[in-house]
Amino acid sequence: MLDKKVAELINEQINKELYSAYLYWDFANFYADEGLDGFRNWYEVQAKEERDHAIMMRAYLIDSGVRVTFGKIDKPDVKLKEFMDPLKAGLEHERYVTSLITAIYEAASEAKDYKTMQFLDWFVKEQGEEEKNAEDLVKKMKLFGGDAKGLYMLDQELAARTYVPSTNLPANA
Ligand code: FEO
């Protein structure tokens, strides 16, 4: 049986992960409208990964005998005007998510819930990668996004990102 507080935090995190997917689909909508299909693709792949994080957490709770409950998913509230706006907002958002995962990890540690700590190890690593990816995007945009040719090349690069389902996903996801 999971610690009650830890289970509640993971349940809440499912909502945050689904919000993350909403947010990144919203970014993809913005870029689609601007004709930047590579950027659009990059965030569509990212949104699928966020959805998968929610699936993994839901499965973990259910497999641990916890009744999962859903709350309302907020509307994405980031104002998007410049091409850089989603990239900066994405970085900020990933830093926020890292703080949430850390808080769950700390609660699990406090409750001596080693099973959940092990489950969360994957997410701790994933957050490190996601923050790095978001930082790299901001850097590349600063370097190359200032002129049409650079932006075109960057868009081509981001078009190459493909979705790879995590090996941690439940078999029937
Ligand atoms: Fe599921 Fe981008 O954190």
Side-chain angles (χ1 to χ4, degrees), residues 110-161:
E110 227 166 82
K112 295 193 175 17
D113 181 348
Y114 301 112
K115 187 178 130 196
T116 298
M117 287 162 74
Q118 199 172 39
F119 168 71
L120 290 173
D121 278 341
W122 184 89
F123 288 91
V124 171
K125 186 163 174 276
E126 176 76 0
Q127 279 313 119
E129 285 169 16
E130 294 206 340
E131 278 195 41
K132 167 87 171 63
N133 289 341
E135 278 164 16
D136 286 352
L137 275 185
V138 170
K139 274 187 209 157
K140 281 183 185 174
M141 189 62 159
K142 274 187 190 154
L143 280 171
F144 310 118
D147 71 88
K149 193 171 172 214
L151 190 62
Y152 178 76
M153 301 288 280
L154 194 49
D155 193 55
Q156 296 285 103
E157 183 186 322
L158 300 187
R161 184 180 187 192

Side-chain angles (χ1 to χ4, degrees), residues 28-54:
N29 296 343
F30 168 75
Y31 285 124
D33 196 45
E34 298 288 346
L36 288 169
D37 287 334
F39 285 80
R40 168 190 169 179
N41 171 67
W42 200 93
Y43 277 110
E44 284 176 348
V45 171
Q46 190 59 37
K48 283 182 191 158
E49 290 197 0
E50 300 302 347
R51 173 204 61 191
D52 290 352
H53 298 167

